Amino acid sequence: MHALPASRSLFSRLRYKHLHMLVVLGSSQNLHRASQTLNMSQPAATRMLHEIEEMFGCELFERLPRGMRPTALGQELLLFAKSALTRLDRCAEDLAARQQGGYGYLSIGTIMGAAPGLVMDSVAEIKALKPQLRIRIMGDTSDQVIQSLEQSRIDLAIARRNAITDSQRYAFELVGNERLLVVVRSGHPLAQRSQVDPLELVSAWPWILQPQTSPARMALDQALQRLALPAPADIIECNSVYSMQQLIQLTEAIMVLSESALRDYLRMGLVKALPVDLAGKMEPFGLLWRKDEPISREMELFIELIRRRATAAP
């Protein structure tokens, strides 16, 4: 397909320095600070911004008494500029790794529930097969992981579905789900009981929970509603799984986390699962990647390793 005349003109004039300028200005929203970051004079930065706006035929930043902010069209272009610069950096890193005899570069974003077992086991396996493959792993919530995929900061996401995953731009493949457990530290007074009253748990004990927008918290809230139980009144909210696992050793609190996130703590006997089903079910998670980009051999292999482990899981 031939590019439109306007597109051809844009391609011939637009440079990566223009995209860099947009990203810096979008971050600082101040032309003086942006020019300092770019190590250029403010008049030169002003001319460059006018040049970019002339290329696109519209105003990209609204001039304010103090500073400036992106227009709606400017925000769209900023998203493109950030993605383009990230892809260029990633391409340079990948080429450098291959020039040094390596196997390239793979960046993965994963929800914490899937990370301890499925993802980390697959990472260990692919590193055994390709020792010089450079791997970067980012653990976060589904929303943050998917945002990183949108910004091209990662190649592959292991996350739950949302509106973005259903977009035509992304491929999504279900691979599994997480079982939630209600646990206490091994020396907790509740740890030796063969039966526990759910009402006692929510009314008489403190809790360590993830934020209200997290899938685990929403599953717990739905289960409590289904059982006509009140929400716990004494709560520590924490979005760090690692911090939650530390806090439970220092308190008399009850905690809800995925079985995979608790795997090592359960095996070492540091926590004890209570004989109660309060956690309900979370939405399944899956593999997510951009359709408009070729899949590297290393990413294809990693996806296949994830598939095999997901299929073999009980």
Side-chain angles (χ1 to χ4, degrees):
M1 179 181 294
H2 295 291
L4 295 173
S7 298
R8 285 200 297 267
S9 175
L10 184 61
F11 294 155
S12 65
R13 298 173 62 194
L14 188 63
R15 301 288 184 265
Y16 269 93
K17 67 179 181 180
H18 297 134
L19 300 180
H20 189 205
M21 164 73 174
L22 289 172
V23 170
V24 172
L25 185 55
S27 175
S28 66
Q29 298 196 9
N30 181 285
L31 198 57
H32 177 66
R33 288 198 296 269
S35 64
Q36 290 180 321
T37 301
L38 295 167
N39 197 26
M40 61 194 305
S41 68
Q42 185 167 335
T46 300
R47 286 194 299 272
M48 183 180 290
L49 178 57
H50 286 157
E51 182 182 351
I52 297 170
E53 291 182 326
E54 182 183 343
M55 290 182 203
F56 287 93
C58 62
E59 186 178 79
L60 300 173
F61 285 86
E62 181 183 356
R63 278 64 169 176
L64 303 172
R66 293 187 177 181
M68 49 181 52
R69 65 184 173 209
T71 63
L73 293 174
Q75 290 175 350
E76 289 293 320
L77 187 56
L78 280 174
L79 290 175
F80 166 78
K82 290 176 183 178
S83 177
L85 291 176
T86 300
R87 291 186 187 188
L88 181 64
D89 289 342
R90 295 288 312 284
C91 180
E93 289 179 348
D94 186 70
L95 289 175
R98 292 182 187 276
Q99 285 175 340
Q100 295 170 11
Y103 291 104
Y105 179 90
L106 182 63
S107 182
I108 304 157
T110 179
I111 54 175
M112 294 307 297
L118 186 65
V119 176
M120 296 309 169
D121 289 346
S122 298
V123 167
E125 188 172 357
I126 196 171
K127 283 294 287 183
L129 296 170
K130 296 182 178 290
Q132 291 181 315
L133 173 65
R134 293 181 59 197
I135 298 180
R136 180 180 297 165
I137 304 167
M138 183 195 75
D140 215 319
T141 62
S142 283
D143 289 347
Q144 291 299 316
V145 168
I146 293 172
Q147 184 179 20
S148 293
L149 186 69
E150 278 202 295
Q151 296 172 351
S152 299
R153 292 168 54 203
I154 58 175
D155 304 308
L156 180 70
I158 297 93
R160 288 187 180 80
R161 284 191 108 126
N162 66 10
I164 295 175
T165 65
D166 295 328
S167 165
Q168 295 296 319
R169 296 170 52 202
Y170 300 99
F172 183 81
E173 179 180 329
L174 287 173
V175 293
N177 203 349
E178 300 170 76
R179 178 188 172 203
L180 289 172
L181 297 179
V182 180
V183 302
V184 294
R185 63 179 178 84
S186 59
H188 195 283
L190 294 172
Q192 306 306 318
R193 292 196 197 174
S194 58
Q195 291 184 333
V196 292
D197 181 2
L199 181 59
E200 178 192 354
L201 296 183
V202 296
S203 60
W205 296 96
W207 287 67
I208 302 170
L209 298 173
Q210 291 175 299
Q212 289 185 322
T213 55
S214 70
R217 180 69 174 277
M218 289 189 288
L220 172 64
D221 290 344
Q222 290 169 3
L224 293 176
Q225 289 178 7
R226 187 176 63 251
L227 296 171
L229 292 172
D234 186 354
I235 295 175
I236 299 173
E237 276 196 2
C238 183
N239 60 6
S240 166
V241 172
Y242 177 75
S243 297
M244 291 176 70
Q245 291 170 336
Q246 294 236 309
L247 279 169
I248 198 173
Q249 299 300 319
L250 303 172
T251 67
E252 296 297 310
I254 298 165
M255 181 172 70
V256 174
L257 274 179
S258 69
E259 186 174 17
S260 55
L262 291 165
R263 182 181 64 173
D264 292 339
Y265 277 66
L266 288 165
R267 186 175 64 242
M268 292 185 291
L270 295 174
V271 296
K272 175 77 179 293
L274 296 179
V276 61
D277 183 14
L278 281 183
K281 287 187 176 181
M282 294 196 298
E283 290 295 321
F285 61 85
L287 297 163
L288 185 68
W289 64 90
R290 294 179 293 272
K291 287 182 179 178
D292 61 347
E293 295 181 16
I295 297 178
S296 67
R297 295 189 301 272
E298 293 76 25
M299 181 170 156
E300 188 174 12
L301 173 59
F302 187 76
I303 289 174
E304 183 56 33
L305 294 176
I306 290 280
R307 286 171 178 155
R308 290 178 193 171
R309 290 190 176 276
T311 302

